[in-house]
Structures are given as C-alpha cells and as structure tokens.
Amino acid sequence: MELRADIMVDINDDAKDGGYRRVEVLTGPGRRRKWSEDDKARIVAETLRPGTVVADVARRWQVSSQQVFTWRREMRRAAVAPLSFVPVVAETPVRAPEAALPLPAPPSIEVGVAGAVLRVTPGTDVDLLTAVLRAIRASAA
C-alpha cells in the first residue's frame, strides 16, 4: 500500500497580525481504493467481535469509520434479503415393491421405574399394566 503526504499551504492576510500561515499535512492514500468483498467482510467481521471499537479497526485498515458502518449495514441487508420465488414441481413418486418394505414397529411407550424399563404397546390391558407397575415399585422399596 502506497502512502503519500500532501502539503497544503494557506497564506492569508489578517488585519490585526499582518497575516498567518496554516500548514495541513494529509497522510494516507491519495486516491480512492477499491475494496474487495473479502476485505470488506474481513473488516466487518473484525468489528463484530465483542469489545471491539469500530474506530480502532477503521484506523488500523486506514478507512473511515463511516465507511465501515456502511459496509456493516449493507451486509446486514444482504443477509436478510427477501427470498426469491422457487417453483415447486411435483413428480410422481417411484414406489418400491411392497414386499421390500419392512413392517413398521408398533408404537410403544417406555417407562423407566426403579431401574427397570417397561415397554407398553397399544392395546395392553390396563389392569395388567397397573399390577406390573405396582409390583416393580414394591420391589424397589
């Protein structure tokens, strides 16, 4: 990165003192820079770290704080850009032979009581289930 210093000398007559001189030294690049998207993303990511001051990051990269805030705003907008329309195309599903499909296991409920696991399937007799649960509880006590 090339740095150059521009010196501007301003001489004006002042009615009281007979004149003054002002010298202004500008440092940094003297032209507009083109930042790549990767560089912009790297700079913005650096500003998003906890405890980071945007002005410090901008100074380190020799860019204005306002420019960094603009990049952050642009990236935030791009992240929440509305989704475009995607058409849905329905196709006829290819069916596998029925003999090749495994039968689904019947749904069950697993109950853990006193270190024992009891699997209960639909249709289990309620009285039998109650008796088994009482027996497990009694044996644990």
Side-chain angles (χ1 to χ4, degrees):
M1 179 183 298
E2 178 183 322
L3 296 177
R4 72 172 229 234
D6 294 329
I7 299 177
M8 180 175 69
V9 179
D10 214 359
I11 300 175
N12 291 322
D13 289 330
D14 188 351
K16 292 182 182 178
D17 298 331
Y20 65 91
R21 181 175 287 236
R22 182 178 80 184
V23 176
E24 189 173 332
V25 177
L26 304 173
T27 61
R31 59 178 169 71
R32 282 183 176 242
R33 288 175 284 178
K34 299 259 183 187
W35 292 93
S36 69
E37 292 300 317
D38 290 340
D39 285 339
K40 290 178 188 179
R42 192 174 302 118
I43 293 168
V44 168
E46 192 175 329
T47 65
L48 297 176
R49 293 184 193 137
T52 303
V53 178
V54 173
D56 294 340
V57 174
R59 193 175 308 112
R60 188 169 37 258
W61 285 88
Q62 295 183 348
V63 63
S64 73
S65 298
Q66 185 59 38
Q67 183 65 63
V68 175
F69 281 114
T70 300
W71 291 341
R72 286 173 55 156
R73 188 172 43 254
E74 288 171 354
M75 289 182 185
R76 197 174 321 122
R77 283 186 191 143
V80 293
L83 299 175
S84 60
F85 175 74
V86 178
V88 175
V89 178
E91 294 182 3
T92 306
V94 177
R95 295 188 51 95
E98 299 214 10
L101 294 175
L103 294 175
S108 64
I109 298 174
E110 290 187 8
V111 179
V113 178
V117 177
L118 177 65
R119 287 186 186 83
V120 182
T121 58
T124 303
D125 182 36
V126 176
D127 294 330
L128 175 64
L129 179 60
T130 304
V132 170
L133 287 172
R134 285 184 181 150
I136 293 173
R137 182 184 286 163
S139 68

